[in-house]
Amino acid sequence: MALLHFANMEEHRPEVLMQKTFSGLEDFHKFLENTKRYLESEKSVKRLRWELVEDISRSKETSQGIWVQLIEAESSSDDVTFKHFLDENNKEVYEANNANWKYVASPATDCPTCKQKNKKPKLAYQTKEHAEEVASQSKTQLGIYECENGHGWHLTKQFRDGQISFAKENKLVVLDRNINNEQLLLDRIPDEEYLVLRPNTYTLKCQLNAIKELQDSPNSTHRPLLRLFESSDHAKWARLTKPRSNPFYDMQLTHYEHNGLVAEWHVLTDISRPGTQEQRDFVEIALNTPDFAFLEGPPGSGKTTAILELIIQLALRGKRILLCASTHVAVDNVLERILEEDNEIKDLIIALRMGDKSNISEKVKPNQLEEFLQTERNRLLASLNKQSNLSEAQALLLEQLRSRKNNTIQRMVLESANLICGTTIGILQHPDIKSRGEANPQFDYMIIDEASKTTFQEFLVPALLAKRWVLVGDQKQLSPYVDDESTAINIEPCLPEQYKRNACIDVFQASSYLPSSKRINSLILTKNQQEVEFYQAQAEQSGVLLASPRHNIDHLPYASIVTADELFVGNNEKQLPYDFSRIRGSLDTTHIQTQYRNNAFLAADKKRTNNAKWEDEIAWRLSRLYEQRHNNVANDETKKNTAVKLQEQIKALLPHNSNSGSNSALENINRVRRVALPSVLESLQSGFERKTRQRQGTALSDGLPEIVFQQRAVTLSYQHRMHPDIAEFSARVIYNGKALKSPDFMEEKRHWDYRPERSRSIWLDVRGKVNSKTNSNKIEADQVLNELQAFDRWAKANPKEDGKPWEVAVLSFYRGQERELKFKIRSWTGNRQAHRHFKRGDKKTPYLDIQLCTVDRFQGHEADLVLLSFMNNYPTSFLESPNRLNVAITRARYGLVVFGNRNPMARASGVLATFAQDSAWSKTI
């Protein structure tokens, strides 16, 4: 049946096009299936703590229910956990107490090493503390399962479906959510300490469905999408004429002629404004393209304004438009501009916003589908009730409206709307999309903002609904969010044998690739000679000293890894090294001395973590390595940069000997990497790389052919947000002088009198101490508060000319520091319940609006003053991401103040080092 669909669009050998499409989508399908399978298992259950929210004003529609604030369950809780809880597709959460989180054997069936059936468990523990207590009393190793060959399982922390029983009595209904403040409105107060989330795979199912639709039943208008999977030398792309070669195009006029239609510019009217011509070029390209159009632009360059002009021009031509983005903020930023009071043509655009009201900005809520329908219903009722003599049609409409059936009014609204807005997944809530199928191209154009944060598989969901695609973004800002957990799930099968994964991570953690304070030595209890030989080969290649009954027996007392059976360990306990952090396998109660020494060493050196998994270690390094791809600034040539170090570490984590399938493992890991990491914008602009043995490139592997992309793409080069001092560094180092240029008038436009004696972009050198438990820096947070208080005094005496409050963004790279800053700002402002937004002055007319946020969540936002806290006292690969740094230092309009220990950052790798060295000094704190 699928071949018939391909035959309808390809006369010559449609089976080849079908094969190319199936092959091109295979890796995406496999990645999503593996992730979905994991998320549907008990291992993926996530939890957070909560507290009641008091004295907080809420909108009228949420008068019932209880608002709770989500809080980290432990220091390891990350952004993705909160993202899952706040997802609009999650309609319920469950309550659980700490006892539900048990330490159990994982897995509890077959031995992961040799696949033998396990014996009955020796012990079971309610908590880690209970397990340690029992172990110290009974001298029993914490591995509670053992197979016939002596392999054991260590206790691992996981959530068991049966232990919580996702039952009706434990369920809490989510009535509303506040994403900015990370709060939920629940139908009742939870009885337990924790909230847990049953895994939701709706997003993955939508992406899998989109892939299946394109493989099985593509529409003829999807031909350009299918062309992305054809070899570059075979794919036939239409030629597109650049706007400036159009003889009818006069860039000096506010009017232009397009295909015989005389029109006018509605937003891009000032041609003297630097950058306007580039924006107009983009609009012309998008109007003429038969398939794709691209707009790249640095922060503050007018991408949203260009999108607004394009939407207006398309609406005037009677086109239906789908506006998407990966985040609600990006969607609402464009829609808010359309709905502005001074927008003369806003009545020409009927915009509907898909999604829950809780995720939508206040200005956009009237256009949310259900809100819009109710407003129109009330308006029509009021109008018809005033009529004395109703026609037959009017009487029928009035009857429908009074019956409170939304079918008629909904049909009228949906057929009138020419702009549908929503996230890439939320857009599927549109009633017509639900009823007609996800692969029905109902829209003439799809515009996707922040396409540099959208993966190809995410892009594909709304792309099937359109006939042309406009991608807007900036590769030099944040890339798609990479869920290391999902990546790790897909990396694990790349090396199927458990003992090989164990060997690779054990040897790596004992090697010189880690500092001596973090190295972990291991005792491997095994009788399997194949396993021993693999450990030996891996250790030799990495320069790690391994001892066994048959190998390096004389080096036993100071070996980093020992492989032996229980009999050998019992006979040589006194010769074993004292500093084992990890014991793989189960020791019986006769090996008291070895167990004692192991427990004593772990108690004395708690920094030695021994629960790392091979797939996890590779996953986060792949993510960090990807973030270094634009970090091409040369610093100290005598040192290895971070990218080189990460590459070496990933290589060291792979199996070394030729018979271990190392090439196969690397090839499979690269298949995962190509799916998980790049954005659709990056793939189509420059490609992400070919598969092993892939002779001919495609648009996804190599990017669109250069001439094809150039005909369809525009890069904006001027910024209109920042004072030139703030933009200077990114313009010079990140964009190499080709973008983020500041117009001559920007310095005067951003004039203010706050601390005129210092630069607008300044680094305050703070020598604070990091609390590793809370991931915070108190001294640095104190200095941020001091600066905030100083600006508060100035802002109170110098109100803004437009009457609006001054806006301050307090940003940190880390959640722990964000939490530290929250407590301090709460105490200072007296607002004990606020989490993200703090105001100073009268509640209705404040003079200062403070927003507290992490850098990653603040992309797409801006503020008058930005206070940026580095927190860490040493550079990390996370901080060294040039994209992340670029986002952090380009949010401010008037002033940027950076807080951090400057000397260590100046010794970092790449762009971060250059920034720390270049930034103006103020004072050392």
Side-chain angles (χ1 to χ4, degrees):
M1 182 63 71
L3 186 57
L4 291 177
H5 288 275
F6 284 91
N8 287 333
M9 66 182 73
E10 189 74 10
E11 295 181 5
H12 179 64
R13 301 198 67 182
E15 74 279 3
V16 175
L17 178 61
M18 185 177 73
Q19 188 275 328
K20 293 285 186 183
T21 302
F22 272 75
S23 176
L25 290 168
E26 179 185 5
D27 289 345
F28 295 98
H29 188 276
K30 184 181 294 185
F31 180 91
L32 295 171
E33 275 288 0
N34 286 340
T35 307
K36 176 175 171 287
R37 192 178 303 113
Y38 171 80
L39 289 180
E40 290 173 343
S41 72
E42 61 188 27
K43 299 178 184 178
S44 66
V45 177
K46 291 179 171 53
R47 68 171 183 169
L48 290 173
R49 291 187 296 114
W50 62 276
E51 64 181 25
L52 286 177
V53 177
E54 301 172 359
D55 300 325
I56 187 167
S57 60
R58 293 295 179 192
S59 52
K60 295 180 180 179
E61 68 269 18
T62 58
S63 57
Q64 59 179 348
I66 300 295
W67 281 99
V68 299
Q69 178 66 47
L70 299 177
I71 306 171
E72 294 92 335
E74 54 269 313
S75 59
S76 61
S77 296
D78 54 15
D79 279 347
V80 71
T81 302
F82 285 83
K83 182 179 179 181
H84 284 306
F85 269 84
L86 295 165
D87 190 323
E88 63 189 49
N89 296 310
N90 285 318
K91 307 297 184 184
E92 57 196 35
V93 294
Y94 292 80
E95 56 192 358
N97 58 40
N98 197 45
N100 291 126
W101 291 81
K102 296 187 178 182
Y103 281 72
V104 298
S106 175
T109 52
D110 297 346
C111 172
T113 304
C114 61
K115 309 304 180 185
Q116 289 285 334
K117 290 290 183 182
N118 59 33
K119 296 178 179 178
K120 292 182 179 180
K122 299 176 181 177
L123 293 169
Y125 310 106
Q126 290 289 340
T127 64
K128 182 179 180 182
E129 291 72 21
H130 178 216
E132 291 173 344
E133 179 184 356
V134 173
S136 64
Q137 293 174 356
S138 64
K139 317 301 184 296
T140 303
Q141 164 64 14
L142 300 190
I144 63 172
Y145 283 91
E146 184 182 78
C147 75
E148 297 297 334
N149 291 329
H151 300 121
W153 289 260
H154 286 280
L155 292 175
T156 57
K157 186 177 183 181
Q158 68 180 46
F159 200 75
R160 296 298 296 270
D161 211 45
Q163 291 170 348
I164 184 176
S165 68
F166 289 102
K168 184 177 180 180
E169 58 268 22
N170 293 339
K171 184 174 74 173
L172 299 102
V173 179
V174 179
L175 304 174
D176 202 351
R177 56 185 58 77
N178 185 318
I179 291 180
N180 289 332
N181 287 348
E182 295 175 341
Q183 297 166 346
L184 296 179
L185 181 67
L186 304 178
D187 61 336
R188 63 179 174 84
I189 298 178
D191 293 326
E192 303 292 352
E193 178 182 4
Y194 293 95
L195 297 177
V196 296
L197 191 65
R198 202 169 198 169
N200 187 304
T201 57
Y202 175 74
T203 297
L204 295 173
K205 290 176 182 176
C206 292
Q207 294 174 7
L208 284 165
N209 287 341
I211 289 174
K212 189 175 185 300
E213 292 279 358
L214 193 58
Q215 287 177 329
D216 294 346
S217 54
N219 188 285
S220 58
T221 56
H222 295 148
R223 187 63 182 88
L225 293 176
L226 302 179
R227 198 170 287 129
L228 300 176
F229 307 111
E230 294 182 283
S231 59
S232 298
D233 58 353
H234 183 267
K236 297 177 181 178
W237 296 94
R239 179 176 175 80
L240 185 63
T241 304
K242 274 281 191 178
R244 296 190 189 188
S245 63
N246 185 340
F248 298 104
Y249 185 85
D250 188 342
M251 60 185 178
Q252 299 301 320
L253 301 178
T254 59
H255 293 66
Y256 67 93
E257 186 171 332
H258 173 74
N259 293 339
L261 174 66
V262 177
E264 63 177 317
W265 297 107
H266 292 271
V267 180
L268 304 174
T269 55
D270 186 1
I271 192 60
S272 64
R273 185 175 184 265
T276 299
Q277 183 56 61
E278 295 167 340
Q279 293 170 306
R280 287 184 175 186
D281 287 349
F282 159 72
V283 173
E284 274 282 287
I285 288 172
L287 290 174
N288 283 280
T289 185
D291 37 58
F292 291 93
F294 303 88
L295 178 65
E296 271 208 292
S301 60
K303 295 188 293 294
T304 301
T305 303
I307 292 174
L308 177 57
E309 180 70 62
L310 175 60
I311 289 173
I312 293 170
Q313 296 296 341
L314 290 172
L316 288 171
R317 287 161 176 75
K319 304 297 184 183
R320 296 194 72 213
I321 309 135
L322 183 63
L323 174 65
C324 291
S326 296
T327 64
H328 293 283
V329 170
V331 176
D332 290 346
N333 282 345
V334 179
L335 192 49
E336 285 177 7
R337 289 286 303 276
I338 294 173
L339 300 174
E340 287 177 353
E341 290 298 327
D342 57 354
N343 187 347
E344 297 178 357
I345 49 76
K346 69 175 183 178
D347 292 337
L348 298 176
I349 300 174
I350 300 178
L352 292 180
R353 177 68 160 90
M354 301 297 121
D356 285 356
K357 287 179 286 187
S358 56
N359 296 331
I360 299 172
S361 72
E362 289 298 323
K363 294 180 181 178
V364 169
K365 279 184 179 179
N367 288 70
Q368 192 259 355
L369 177 60
E370 286 73 24
E371 284 288 307
F372 195 94
L373 291 175
Q374 185 61 41
T375 301
E376 288 302 297
R377 179 180 176 278
N378 293 339
R379 184 181 65 81
L380 288 172
L381 272 173
S383 177
L384 292 172
N385 285 329
K386 292 179 181 178
Q387 302 290 332
S388 55
N389 296 315
L390 297 178
S391 66
E392 184 177 348
Q394 288 175 325
L396 181 60
L397 177 59
L398 182 60
E399 181 183 350
Q400 287 283 327
L401 294 173
R402 285 176 173 171
S403 69
R404 306 196 68 81
K405 293 181 180 179
N406 278 334
N407 295 347
T408 302
I409 185 65
Q410 177 174 285
R411 193 73 262 138
M412 293 168 61
V413 168
L414 293 178
E415 291 184 3
S416 301
N418 52 6
L419 176 64
I420 305 299
C421 312
T423 60
T424 52
I425 301 299
I427 208 74
L428 300 180
Q429 298 307 310
H430 188 288
D432 286 349
I433 296 174
K434 279 185 174 181
S435 62
R436 299 179 192 174
E438 298 171 10
N440 188 353
Q442 304 173 32
F443 300 91
D444 298 291
Y445 278 80
M446 182 187 89
I447 302 172
I448 181 161
D449 197 8
E450 291 194 346
S452 46
K453 293 183 68 176
T454 306
T455 61
F456 178 75
Q457 55 269 32
E458 186 182 358
F459 158 79
L460 206 57
V461 176
L464 297 184
L465 303 168
K467 303 170 185 176
R468 291 174 176 84
W469 306 272
V470 179
L471 282 70
V472 181
D474 179 13
Q475 278 202 60
K476 299 300 180 68
Q477 295 189 62
L478 287 171
S479 305
Y481 175 78
V482 178
D483 183 359
D484 291 343
E485 187 177 30
S486 297
T487 307
I489 294 160
N490 285 275
I491 288 176
E492 181 181 348
C494 297
L495 192 59
E497 301 91 341
Q498 175 74 61
Y499 78 87
K500 289 184 179 180
R501 297 199 298 272
N502 289 345
C504 288
I505 186 63
D506 291 347
V507 171
F508 175 80
Q509 291 192 309
S511 71
S512 59
Y513 289 100
L514 296 181
S516 57
S517 60
K518 294 184 178 181
R519 290 177 198 165
I520 291 175
N521 297 332
S522 300
L523 171 62
I524 314 301
L525 295 166
T526 180
K527 299 176 182 177
N528 189 316
Q529 191 57 34
Q530 185 181 17
E531 184 177 351
V532 172
E533 290 173 358
F534 185 85
Y535 265 94
Q536 289 175 350
Q538 196 72 9
E540 288 175 1
Q541 289 290 326
S542 297
V544 172
L545 184 58
L546 179 145
S548 71
R550 301 182 183 181
H551 188 80
N552 288 335
I553 187 68
D554 295 336
H555 301 312
L556 183 62
Y558 43 89
S560 297
I561 294 179
V562 174
T563 57
D565 57 23
E566 286 194 14
L567 179 60
F568 178 86
V569 171
N571 293 335
N572 296 273
E573 274 194 307
K574 294 183 179 180
Q575 284 74 42
L576 291 175
Y578 74 94
D579 56 352
F580 283 136
S581 300
R582 177 187 291 121
I583 300 178
R584 290 199 185 275
S586 178
L587 285 171
D588 61 36
T589 55
T590 61
H591 301 120
I592 297 176
Q593 187 176 5
T594 302
Q595 187 64 65
Y596 264 154
R597 289 161 68 181
N598 177 241
N599 291 340
F601 179 75
L602 290 176
D605 192 350
K606 296 181 179 179
K607 294 181 180 180
R608 309 270 181 169
T609 57
N610 59 9
N611 57 350
K613 294 182 179 179
W614 176 79
E615 56 270 21
D616 292 336
E617 293 297 303
I618 289 184
W620 75 258
R621 285 178 170 84
L622 287 178
S623 176
R624 294 292 177 264
L625 179 60
Y626 176 64
E627 292 181 339
Q628 301 293 319
R629 68 196 185 284
H630 298 307
N631 210 0
N632 51 11
V633 176
N635 304 124
D636 186 351
E637 295 184 359
T638 64
K639 297 193 308 181
K640 294 179 181 178
N641 63 32
T642 299
V644 171
K645 292 178 182 177
L646 289 169
Q647 287 170 341
E648 291 179 346
Q649 290 173 10
I650 292 171
K651 183 179 179 181
L653 278 161
L654 296 174
H656 295 313
N657 59 323
S658 58
N659 296 325
S660 65
S662 57
N663 291 335
S664 175
L666 180 59
E667 181 178 342
N668 289 330
I669 289 171
N670 284 332
R671 291 166 71 98
V672 173
R673 187 167 59 91
R674 285 190 292 267
V675 172
L677 300 181
S679 70
V680 60
L681 181 62
E682 179 180 7
S683 294
L684 296 184
Q685 178 175 346
S686 54
F688 193 60
E689 73 181 25
R690 299 183 184 184
K691 299 179 182 179
T692 306
R693 295 185 294 275
Q694 180 183 344
R695 294 182 179 180
Q696 296 176 320
T698 66
L700 289 179
S701 66
D702 293 19
L704 288 168
E706 185 175 359
I707 185 63
V708 173
F709 185 82
Q710 287 179 352
Q711 291 172 357
R712 291 160 170 77
V714 170
T715 299
L716 303 179
S717 43
Y718 286 90
Q719 67 88 16
H720 297 272
R721 172 187 295 171
M722 294 161 267
H723 187 282
D725 286 358
I726 303 171
E728 187 276 334
F729 178 82
S730 285
R732 173 170 52 88
V733 178
I734 302 288
Y735 296 98
N736 300 312
K738 298 178 181 179
L740 208 71
K741 301 174 184 176
S742 297
D744 295 336
F745 58 78
M746 282 304 295
E747 185 169 359
E748 179 60 30
K749 185 178 179 180
R750 293 299 179 227
H751 173 76
W752 69 353
D753 295 323
Y754 177 66
R755 295 198 169 178
E757 76 281 357
R758 71 186 192 186
S759 170
R760 297 298 188 90
S761 179
I762 193 167
W763 187 306
L764 297 187
D765 189 31
V766 184
R767 313 285 172 81
K769 183 178 180 181
V770 175
N771 185 329
S772 58
K773 291 184 178 180
T774 60
N775 211 27
S776 62
N777 186 321
K778 182 179 182 299
I779 294 176
E780 198 169 293
D782 287 337
Q783 297 309 316
V784 173
L785 183 62
N786 288 345
E787 184 72 30
L788 182 58
Q789 291 171 333
F791 184 77
D792 175 79
R793 292 189 291 270
W794 179 87
K796 188 174 183 179
N798 296 272
K800 246 184 175 180
E801 293 181 359
D802 59 7
K804 296 179 180 179
W806 288 101
E807 296 176 347
V808 179
V810 179
L811 305 182
S812 173
F813 292 98
Y814 298 97
R815 263 191 174 274
Q817 184 71 347
E818 179 192 37
R819 184 170 53 248
E820 179 73 23
L821 287 163
K822 176 176 67 179
F823 295 147
K824 292 185 180 299
I825 297 174
R826 273 182 174 181
S827 178
W828 169 55
T829 61
N831 190 340
R832 302 290 179 178
Q833 301 301 323
H835 287 265
R836 294 285 174 267
H837 295 277
F838 302 81
K839 296 185 184 298
R840 296 281 290 169
D842 185 76
K843 288 186 178 181
K844 294 184 178 180
T845 57
Y847 62 84
L848 187 62
D849 187 341
I850 305 165
Q851 185 169 177
L852 175 65
C853 202
T854 58
V855 170
D856 284 28
R857 294 204 309 276
F858 204 67
Q859 177 166 318
H861 297 270
E862 57 186 272
D864 297 319
L865 174 65
V866 169
L867 309 179
L868 174 64
S869 172
F870 266 82
M871 196 285 290
N872 242 332
N873 271 331
Y874 60 90
T876 64
S877 56
F878 179 81
L879 290 175
E880 288 177 335
S881 163
N883 295 52
R884 182 168 287 109
L885 182 64
N886 185 36
V887 169
I889 63 178
T890 56
R891 304 299 99 196
R893 303 186 194 103
Y894 291 85
L896 168 67
V897 185
V898 177
F899 301 82
N901 195 339
R902 186 171 176 181
N903 283 338
M905 300 305 167
R907 296 192 295 269
S909 173
V911 173
L912 175 58
T914 305
F915 179 67
Q917 293 163 6
D918 283 8
S919 299
W921 281 91
S922 173
K923 58 184 178 180
T924 299
I925 301 172

